[in-house]
């Protein structure tokens, strides 16, 4: 078990985070989706600006998810790890 907050469940198979298990995780995920949709709509004709917005946002999302996933990120094969 991690010492920090647990906002996301671990994936059952593979590497990474599953769905949020706390309201903070849902707020983070919905905020990211709103940012992605808004950037895609507003910057549709400016691909470099779109990448400049989405790349750091995605990296930040991944860092927060990795730090707040119950048990951390590691490979899961689906068996009782």
């Amino acid at each position: 078990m991690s010492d920090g907050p647990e906002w996301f469940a671990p994936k059952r198979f593979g590497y990474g985070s599953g769905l949020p298990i706390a309201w903070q995780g849902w707020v983070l995920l919905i905020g990211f989706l709103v940012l992605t949709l808004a950037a895609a709509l507003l910057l549709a004709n400016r691909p470099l600006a779109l990448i400049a917005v989405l790349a750091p946002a995605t990296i930040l999302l991944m860092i927060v998810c990795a730090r707040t996933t119950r048990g951390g990120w590691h490979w899961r094969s689906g068996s009782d790890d």
Side-chain angles (χ1 to χ4, degrees), residues 24-67:
Q24 296 95 331
W26 283 108
V27 169
L28 180 68
L29 181 60
I30 291 168
F32 177 76
L33 294 174
V34 168
L35 174 70
T36 301
L37 180 62
L41 293 173
L42 296 173
L43 302 172
N45 297 327
R46 299 175 59 199
L48 291 179
L50 182 62
I51 291 170
V53 170
L54 293 183
T58 302
I59 291 168
L60 182 61
L61 176 72
M62 290 175 64
I63 291 169
V64 172
C65 286
R67 292 185 179 175

